């Protein structure tokens, strides 16, 4: 770049570099679009009037000889053993839409080999949990949020929507039928997996005219048994989980398949999970299948709890929302939905201003992070060195709500 | 920006803007990574020694009463009617890997409701065609390329790989068994859909320990019956099909589900397909499920055939490769794998230098494009106004090879 000695040469410089400057402006413009949400571009439709109805639910119980032995919950790995029954509701456009829901003995799903779910990933799911409280009553945590997200995912997948409260009532009934599968142990729970798949037996990438909504249940033990260990992460800017103009904020199957090769790479390098970055700024987006939170001291000396905003790249987690809600009630530190870059984290860590990093999700509730491998460097995070860390406070409070130690509208006993 | 009158103030300007300049440099750096391939980052492993074997294939023919009526091929829509048999091969890690392949009567697939394919889109597919030649013999077009791509997709999905030539032999046998399903009509063909899905009955995003490879067949009519019509496209930079660090160059189900809402938007706006752009430069990537080609006159007056390079955002199409191969043999115009932006296309069109735009794929072979809606403007492309368009030359030549009018190693008769 030549030295500029006059206004004239400056103008010449601008002329010569106008292409780059223009590009810079356009890039910034896109960045704003990228970062501050693409919601205006989603073709959301008003919620459909169509739905299956709880009042039409029929139940066919398993024969006594079909019932399975309930395993010792402390020996269970996640998602390996399922309960005795399942919920099913078919949708067929040419039969008028949603059919009557049924609870039936757990069984295989029979699909036409051209079913869209097997070829084009026309599929979505949810994850929520039923907890047996200290009073023996069963509670499900904030299922309404899962239903909203499930309908958003359906809209983005060309799958039929439904009324969330109808599915909640059907799921409650399913959990009641299999209530002995809700572990009699605090810390353990019954994981609930509603799933919606496109089943038309025709090739061609298109809206589904037939779909199957089903729900299965599996007992899971506590994620943490006494010993507290931090998660180690691999942050590699070469891989991206989601991108602007995509569907990273939906719980669609297509967000998971492509992550396996990167997760495999993390394990190979001795890290447990992937910290997904985005773009040249290396924004933190998610951890494995969790949302991420940072608790730190800002440059004015104030404590801040921050998590990335719902800008289209982030799954709107139910535990994420609950932590924000609780933190706002505490009124003890600032709570922000804001962008965090890898550079921010490194600066905070070097200046001893990062206090905690943790992930949140239905499976793990709250999971402390102890280190990040980034560009062949290991960044240690002192989450577990805090005296009374806030991640533990959130976990304990959610636990108290989920197991009925604290009465709260987020977890009412099911009838 | 202040007027600069001296070297000192220029330096001050640089200091004040160094953040932006740095960002510009980093953005450019990433752009290079983005655009010129991420291949070095893929964790490709050497091809597995494991495979199922054609020599172990057994065939169970359908009973005569199971055989279906063959429909009039000219009344068929794509992917609606299937042949009488299918090919299946299971993979179970704990049983030593690939099991013996079988040809059986066409039937539903029975899956555990937790099967990974239904939740996490652990799935991939291929599309190829069998043609009945003018000599009555059946040819399959370049199946080796499909096999390579299928194994690449498997590696990226945590699914088992296999030896391509074994699957080709099994598919050839399947086509022989259902040979009466290969239409007796030039222009029509039998579409072959190999599919590989993860079927472990356990929740958790992980490598598949059990998988099912199956292949189904459906007769399809010619895409074009005499009347030549151009495709109209919607190019909307707010949507992206693939992104650097993702799996856009693999034929995985996860690349298709998220496109449905955008395709629906295109139809709503009266366009037939989506032209997928990428990034602030608005690079052309793909059209619907086709690769894209531009034929134009460059600024020196030379004719150029260009298609985007395989930079990680582009599916390595078999027809795409074949068109490049044929064009290189012609030696009549320059053939380039190069990046094309929307701006390039607009400039070429305004200067009357764009001759043709067309898509390529197994389903459509070669499909002329007549217009692009971009930012509320309709850009007309004179593809169909050319006297002897090259898209038609490619289509005719591929046709001649596929139907045995021209002997060619790309389409040898199956035994």
């Amino acid at each position: 770049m030549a030295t500029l000695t006059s206004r004239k040469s400056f103008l010449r410089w601008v002329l010569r570099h106008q292409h780059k400057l223009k590009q810079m402006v356009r890039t910034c413009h896109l960045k704003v679009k990228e970062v501050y949400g693409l919601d205006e571009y989603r073709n959301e439709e008003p919620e459909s009037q169509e739905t299956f109805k709880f009042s039409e639910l029929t139940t066919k119980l398993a024969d006594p000889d079909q019932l399975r032995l309930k395993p010792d919950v402390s020996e269970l790995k996640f998602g390996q053993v399922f309960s005795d029954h399942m919920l099913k509701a078919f949708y067929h456009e040419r039969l008028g839409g949603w059919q009557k829901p049924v609870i039936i003995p757990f069984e295989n799903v029979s699909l036409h080999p051209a079913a869209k779910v097997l070829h084009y990933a026309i599929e979505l799911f949810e994850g929520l949990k039923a907890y047996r409280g200290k009073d023996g009553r069963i509670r499900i945590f904030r299922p309404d949020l899962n239903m909203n997200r499930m309908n958003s995912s359906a809209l983005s997948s060309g799958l039929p929507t439904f009324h969330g409260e109808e599915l909640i009532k059907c799921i409650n009934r399913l959990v009641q039928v299999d209530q002995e599968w809700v572990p009699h142990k605090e810390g353990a729970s019954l994981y609930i997996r509603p799933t919606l798949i496109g089943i038309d037996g025709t090739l061609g990438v298109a809206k589904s005219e037939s779909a199957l909504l089903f729900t299965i249940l599996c007992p899971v033990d506590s994620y943490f048994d006494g010993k507290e260990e931090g998660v180690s992460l691999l942050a590699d800017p070469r891989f991206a989980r989601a991108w602007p103009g995509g569907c990273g904020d939906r719980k669609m199957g297509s967000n998971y398949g492509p992550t396996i090769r990167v997760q495999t790479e993390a394990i190979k390098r001795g890290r447990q999970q992937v910290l997904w970055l985005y773009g040249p700024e290396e924004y933190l987006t998610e951890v494995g299948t969790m949302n991420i939170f940072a608790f730190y001291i800002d440059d004015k000396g104030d404590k801040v709890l921050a998590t990335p905003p719902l800008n289209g790249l982030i799954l709107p987690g139910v535990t994420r929302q609950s932590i924000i809600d609780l933190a706002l009630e505490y009124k003890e530190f600032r709570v922000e939905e804001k962008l965090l870059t890898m550079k921010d984290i490194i600066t905070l860590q070097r200046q001893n201003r990062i206090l905690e990093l943790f992930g949140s999700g239905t499976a793990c509730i709250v999971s402390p992070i102890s280190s990040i491998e980034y560009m062949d460097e290991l960044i240690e995070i002192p989450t577990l060195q805090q005296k009374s860390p806030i991640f533990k406070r959130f976990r304990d409070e959610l636990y108290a709500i989920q197991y009925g130690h604290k009465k709260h509208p987020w977890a009412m006993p099911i009838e």
Side-chain angles (χ1 to χ4, degrees), chain A:
Chain A
M1 199 186 296
T3 306
L4 300 185
T5 50
S6 71
R7 181 187 159 88
K8 206 168 139 196
S9 50
F10 171 68
L11 288 175
R12 221 180 297 136
W13 183 86
V14 168
L15 272 172
R16 211 161 56 233
H17 292 83
Q18 60 179 345
H19 172 73
K20 277 201 179 166
L21 291 170
K22 255 192 216 163
Q23 196 180 46
M24 192 164 82
V25 170
R26 294 188 68 213
T27 309
C28 288
H29 173 65
L30 193 91
K31 220 149 274 162
V32 170
K33 276 208 292 185
E34 280 179 12
V35 166
Y36 295 106
L38 280 147
D39 281 335
E40 57 184 306
Y41 306 123
R42 304 209 169 272
N43 41 8
E44 303 280 357
E45 293 153 36
E47 198 182 340
S48 158
Q49 289 309 304
E50 283 190 50
T51 189
F52 49 86
K53 294 194 185 86
F54 170 68
S55 60
E56 295 180 341
L57 176 70
T58 54
T59 301
K60 179 178 176 275
L61 293 178
D63 289 335
D65 64 314
Q66 284 181 299
L67 300 178
R68 301 148 192 230
L69 277 178
K70 287 169 196 72
D72 181 352
V73 73
S74 63
E75 283 168 16
L76 282 181
K77 279 191 192 170
F78 176 77
Q80 307 265 340
V81 172
F82 297 87
S83 73
D84 292 316
H85 296 86
M86 67 192 294
L87 171 74
K88 262 182 170 182
F90 281 95
Y91 174 94
H92 295 298
E93 205 164 283
R94 63 199 171 102
L95 297 180
W98 284 107
Q99 307 297 298
K100 293 176 184 172
V102 291
I103 288 174
I104 53 169
F106 190 93
E107 63 172 23
N108 269 16
V109 176
S110 175
L111 294 173
H112 190 285
K116 292 195 190 303
V117 64
L118 304 178
H119 300 260
Y120 309 122
I122 314 289
E123 60 193 70
L124 59 95
F125 65 93
E126 279 298 325
L128 53 168
K129 279 180 178 172
Y131 306 86
R132 186 179 298 278
K134 65 168 199 131
D135 54 0
R137 301 175 79 182
I138 296 168
R139 290 168 178 80
I140 297 180
F141 189 72
R142 306 189 83 175
D144 49 320
L145 297 186
N146 294 90
M147 295 303 110
N148 294 347
R149 190 169 64 183
M150 198 167 173
N151 272 313
S152 297
S153 302
L155 277 175
S156 291
S157 309
L159 282 166
T161 56
F162 54 89
H163 291 182
E165 66 270 30
E166 298 295 327
L167 183 53
I168 292 176
K169 284 188 263 182
C170 291
I171 287 176
N172 286 355
R173 171 63 56 86
L174 176 66
V175 171
Q176 280 167 335
V177 167
D178 275 344
Q179 58 182 280
E180 276 317 300
W181 284 90
V182 185
H184 289 260
K185 179 190 169 190
E186 269 206 19
S189 56
L190 187 68
Y191 182 83
I192 303 167
R193 171 58 65 94
T195 313
L196 179 55
I197 60 179
I199 60 170
D200 313 40
T202 53
L203 299 178
V205 186
K207 215 162 172 285
S208 296
E209 289 173 11
S210 288
L212 169 61
L213 189 157
F214 65 89
T215 302
I216 51 179
L217 308 173
C218 56
V220 292
D221 197 11
S222 167
Y223 211 78
F224 308 95
D225 3 324
K227 209 175 146 210
E228 189 76 77
E229 276 183 41
V231 179
S232 69
L233 305 181
L234 172 67
D236 190 328
R238 297 171 305 192
F239 301 113
R241 188 197 80 96
W243 71 107
C247 291
D249 56 348
R250 300 290 189 258
K251 214 163 173 66
M252 289 158 62
S254 51
N255 287 328
Y256 297 86
T259 67
I260 287 177
R261 65 193 178 111
V262 189
Q263 176 64 24
T264 307
E265 178 72 18
I267 300 288
K268 250 192 220 160
R269 285 158 73 167
R271 311 297 157 206
Q272 290 160 279
Q273 300 256 2
V274 178
L275 171 55
W276 296 98
L277 303 178
Y278 178 77
E281 297 83 356
E282 297 174 357
Y283 292 119
L284 278 66
T285 63
E286 296 196 21
V287 176
T289 56
M290 303 185 282
N291 291 117
I292 190 165
F293 282 87
F295 189 51
Y296 62 90
I297 297 168
D298 72 5
D299 43 19
K300 287 173 193 140
D302 296 329
K303 284 185 181 169
V304 181
L305 178 70
T307 193
L310 302 180
N311 58 4
L313 306 183
I314 309 289
L315 195 82
V318 176
T319 312
R320 174 188 178 281
Q321 190 55 53
S322 304
I323 289 174
I324 294 174
D325 293 344
L326 291 176
L328 286 172
E329 275 176 28
Y330 295 167
K331 295 196 176 99
E332 294 172 25
F333 43 77
R334 231 167 54 238
V335 183
E336 288 187 356
E337 291 186 71
K338 64 173 278 189
L339 295 167
L340 293 165
T341 64
M342 256 329 279
K343 211 180 137 195
D344 293 337
I345 298 296
I346 292 169
T347 307
L348 288 170
Q349 194 256 9
R350 289 208 181 131
Q351 300 178 352
N352 291 317
R353 293 197 282 125
I354 185 99
L355 302 171
E356 303 175 39
L357 267 189
F358 54 90
S360 73
T362 293
C364 71
I365 312 294
V366 180
S367 192
I369 293 161
S370 57
S371 65
I372 305 173
E373 181 186 327
Y374 169 75
M375 301 288 196
D376 297 322
E377 199 190 328
L378 195 69
I379 303 163
E380 304 276 359
I381 308 291
T383 313
L384 291 176
Q385 277 90 67
Q386 307 304 318
K387 251 193 205 145
S388 45
I390 61 153
F391 84 82
K392 220 166 161 312
R393 182 169 168 190
F394 290 124
R395 189 199 287 163
D396 291 345
E397 182 142 7
L398 291 170
Y399 187 99
I401 294 169
Q402 288 158 347
Y403 291 95
H405 295 277
K406 180 178 169 178
K407 206 185 156 196
H408 199 286
W410 288 349
M412 301 302 287
I414 64 176
E415 294 309 305

